[in-house]
């Protein structure tokens, strides 16, 4: 076996030819079966990895093609919207042409269906991913968690949260959270894309104790989107976080926001 794997095949062949009995040949045959079985396993594993690599390569090519096509559509559609907006502005100023307004609305609807929903989902996906790492971030913050008797309090400043998000994904370089009284606003602008999310947190106990984010208002390029879109995004992306990932023996009892601060009250879970 050592001869086989070190490339000394001649020595291995002489061993076979020099067998003195059927017993020796059977022993050598057993070794050959072990060698062949191992080689077959290696080849099967290589073939599986090769197929996986081919599939990944195909997916990358498809994604690249889709992104290139989407970029072209976005650029073309931006140009059409800008041109159409100028036409509508000029016509409304003189005659208030309803047909032109309808044309603009149709174009904006198409823009949302082809480009807008993709961009909005990019931000929601990045937010959902970042929130998975928020408990670790809170644990590392000095003064992030305080205690009074059996009550714990988590405080997160909006500046701290924005810095955390930007450390997670560069998409948040032009996107920021703002904590107001009983309201949270997240907004940003990139190129000609504008997104604003307004919502609030609540404590939920089903299916597990969590701080859940609710979207109260969603505005894309100055157009407020319907509640069906908001609910769809809430279901698809989890923007909340789970206090028991910070302290396993507590549960959230209350959450509130004031100017610049998010505060979560925790109690020991029995």
């Amino acid at each position: 076996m050592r001869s086989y794997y070190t490339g000394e095949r001649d020595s291995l062949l002489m061993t076979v030819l020099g067998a003195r009995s059927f017993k020796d040949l059977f022993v050598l045959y057993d070794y050959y079966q072990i060698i062949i079985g191992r080689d077959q396993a290696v080849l099967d594993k290589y073939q599986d990895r090769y197929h996986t690599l081919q599939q990944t390569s195909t997916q990358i090519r498809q994604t690249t093609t889709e992104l290139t096509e989407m970029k072209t559509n976005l650029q073309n559609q931006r140009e059409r919207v800008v041109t159409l907006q100028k036409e509508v502005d000029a016509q409304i100023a003189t005659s208030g042409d309803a047909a032109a307004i309808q044309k603009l609305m149709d174009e904006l609807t198409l823009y949302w269906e082809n480009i807008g929903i993709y961009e909005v989902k990019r931000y929601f996906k990045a937010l959902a991913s970042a929130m998975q790492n928020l408990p670790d971030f809170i644990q590392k913050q000095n003064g992030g968690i305080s205690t009074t008797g059996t009550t714990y309090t988590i405080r997160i400043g909006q500046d701290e949260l924005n810095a955390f998000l930007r450390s997670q994904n560069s998409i948040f370089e032009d996107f920021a959270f703002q904590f107001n009284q009983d309201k949270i606003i997240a907004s940003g602008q990139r190129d000609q894309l504008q997104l604003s999310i307004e919502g609030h947190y609540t404590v939920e106990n089903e299916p597990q104790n969590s701080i859940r984010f609710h979207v109260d208002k969603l505005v894309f390029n100055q157009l407020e989107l319907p509640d069906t879109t908001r609910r769809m995004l809430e279901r698809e992306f989890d923007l909340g976080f789970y206090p028991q990932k910070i302290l396993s023996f507590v549960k959230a009892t209350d959450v509130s926001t004031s100017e610049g601060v998010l505060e979560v009250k925790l109690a020991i879970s029995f």
Side-chain angles (χ1 to χ4, degrees):
M1 291 180 69
R2 184 182 64 182
S3 299
Y4 181 87
Y5 285 110
T6 56
E8 299 172 5
R9 307 298 169 81
D10 292 340
S11 175
L12 183 59
L13 179 62
M14 292 302 296
T15 301
V16 174
L17 295 176
R20 298 178 179 180
S21 65
F22 284 111
K23 179 181 179 181
D24 290 342
L25 285 175
F26 284 129
V27 170
L28 289 171
Y29 176 74
D30 289 339
Y31 282 136
Y32 265 116
Q33 283 188 313
I34 294 172
I35 291 171
I36 292 171
R38 174 60 181 167
D39 284 355
Q40 185 63 48
V42 171
L43 289 173
D44 290 343
K45 191 173 182 179
Y46 169 80
Q47 190 173 32
D48 290 340
R49 289 182 175 178
Y50 178 73
H51 288 323
T52 301
L53 183 60
Q54 282 186 315
Q55 292 174 354
T56 302
S57 179
T58 300
Q59 291 174 353
I60 290 174
R61 286 196 299 270
Q62 291 175 345
T63 302
T64 301
T65 301
E66 291 173 359
L67 289 176
T68 301
E69 183 179 352
M70 185 170 293
K71 180 180 178 181
T72 301
N73 291 339
L74 174 60
Q75 291 172 339
N76 293 338
Q77 209 154 22
R78 280 178 181 169
E79 293 173 1
R80 291 198 301 270
V81 169
V82 171
T83 301
L84 189 57
Q85 181 69 65
K86 291 179 180 178
E87 293 176 4
V88 170
D89 289 344
Q91 292 178 11
I92 290 177
T94 58
S95 63
D97 191 337
I101 296 176
Q102 184 60 50
K103 186 177 180 183
L104 174 61
M105 295 303 298
D106 292 342
E107 186 69 25
L108 290 175
T109 299
L110 187 62
Y111 182 81
W112 162 252
E113 292 174 349
N114 291 340
I115 306 299
I117 186 63
Y118 171 80
E119 290 295 325
V120 170
K121 283 189 173 184
R122 280 188 65 219
Y123 278 97
F124 271 75
K125 183 179 181 179
L127 279 171
S129 177
M131 286 301 172
Q132 297 299 312
N133 299 322
L134 186 62
D136 290 337
F137 170 77
I138 293 173
Q139 287 179 318
K140 295 175 182 178
Q141 297 302 300
N142 291 328
I145 305 175
S146 60
T147 178
T148 303
T150 59
T151 300
Y152 292 79
T153 302
I154 297 174
R155 289 186 179 87
I156 307 173
Q158 66 182 31
D159 293 339
E160 297 169 346
L161 179 62
N162 288 324
F164 161 72
L165 291 174
R166 288 162 188 161
S167 72
Q168 297 292 302
N169 195 317
S170 61
I171 195 175
F172 298 116
E173 292 296 332
D174 302 311
F175 193 85
F177 272 79
Q178 180 180 348
F179 296 146
N180 297 327
Q181 190 66 42
D182 301 323
K183 182 170 61 176
I184 302 168
I185 298 175
S187 60
Q189 178 174 351
R190 182 172 56 85
D191 298 329
Q192 296 182 21
L193 300 175
Q194 299 177 351
L195 179 64
S196 176
I197 306 168
E198 184 176 313
H200 67 283
Y201 279 112
T202 61
V203 175
E204 304 287 339
N205 290 307
E206 296 295 338
Q208 67 183 105
N209 185 252
S210 63
I211 305 299
R212 185 174 177 82
F213 185 75
H214 301 275
V215 182
D216 299 323
K217 186 177 181 180
L218 184 61
V219 179
F220 175 76
N221 279 14
Q222 301 181 348
L223 294 176
E224 184 173 351
L225 302 180
D227 61 338
T228 52
T229 301
R230 301 199 308 267
R231 299 289 85 80
M232 177 271 291
L233 292 170
E234 278 189 21
R235 289 193 300 270
E236 187 171 346
F237 301 99
D238 183 3
L239 302 187
F241 66 97
Y242 301 85
Q244 289 182 336
K245 290 185 178 181
I246 304 172
L247 298 172
S248 60
F249 54 87
V250 301
K251 66 177 182 178
T253 58
D254 185 63
V255 58
S256 62
T257 55
S258 55
E259 298 301 321
V261 178
L262 169 68
E263 186 173 277
V264 180
K265 296 289 186 181
L266 309 170
I268 295 177
S269 177
F270 295 99

